[in-house]
Amino acid sequence: MSGTTIVLHDPHGLFEAGLPLDRAPHEALVTAVLAWKNPDLTPSDYEQIALQLTGHARAVASDVRRHVAALPKSDGRGALAEVVLREADGRLSTPIEGTARCAQNRARLVRTLYTRLDRLTEPVPAAA
């Protein structure tokens, strides 16, 4: 390595848009975290899990935003997605804590964002 650093400036998320979400392992993590009854982890373990879920929630939220931007203004799915995204922004702005509750809240957020993403990507039924 030459010791040079290259910084990627991608304010519109075009580079990220071409990368697929690594969905299966994150959904497995969400399922495991939400199944906790009386976990006995250290605060740093909870923080690491919450950080992982936070990063993935941000990636899924970006994907939801890209899909919403492509929808016509008259599509009601976009309005509901905007509500979910505002809620996600608020929840992601709170500091991470080293608690099971924090990790589970982040897991619920990832699940909610994936639910919204799935609704945006499913075909719209034809009007009767």
Side-chain angles (χ1 to χ4, degrees), residues 26-98:
H26 288 93
E27 284 183 325
L29 179 59
V30 165
T31 300
V33 168
L34 293 177
W36 286 343
K37 296 297 180 212
N38 292 310
D40 187 24
L41 301 175
T42 65
S44 62
D45 288 338
Y46 291 124
E47 285 176 13
Q48 285 300 308
I49 292 166
L51 280 170
Q52 180 70 30
L53 292 168
T54 297
H56 196 67
R58 290 186 195 286
V60 178
S62 291
D63 216 25
V64 170
R65 278 188 183 87
R66 277 190 292 282
H67 280 83
V68 168
L71 291 174
K73 297 291 180 195
S74 61
D75 193 323
R77 295 177 301 165
L80 186 52
E82 290 291 345
V83 171
V84 171
L85 288 168
R86 277 194 303 277
E87 173 71 17
D89 288 342
R91 290 168 67 184
L92 289 170
S93 69
T94 62
I96 290 176
E97 301 169 359

Side-chain angles (χ1 to χ4, degrees), residues 1-7:
M1 200 101 215
S2 68
T4 329
T5 303
I6 298 174
V7 177

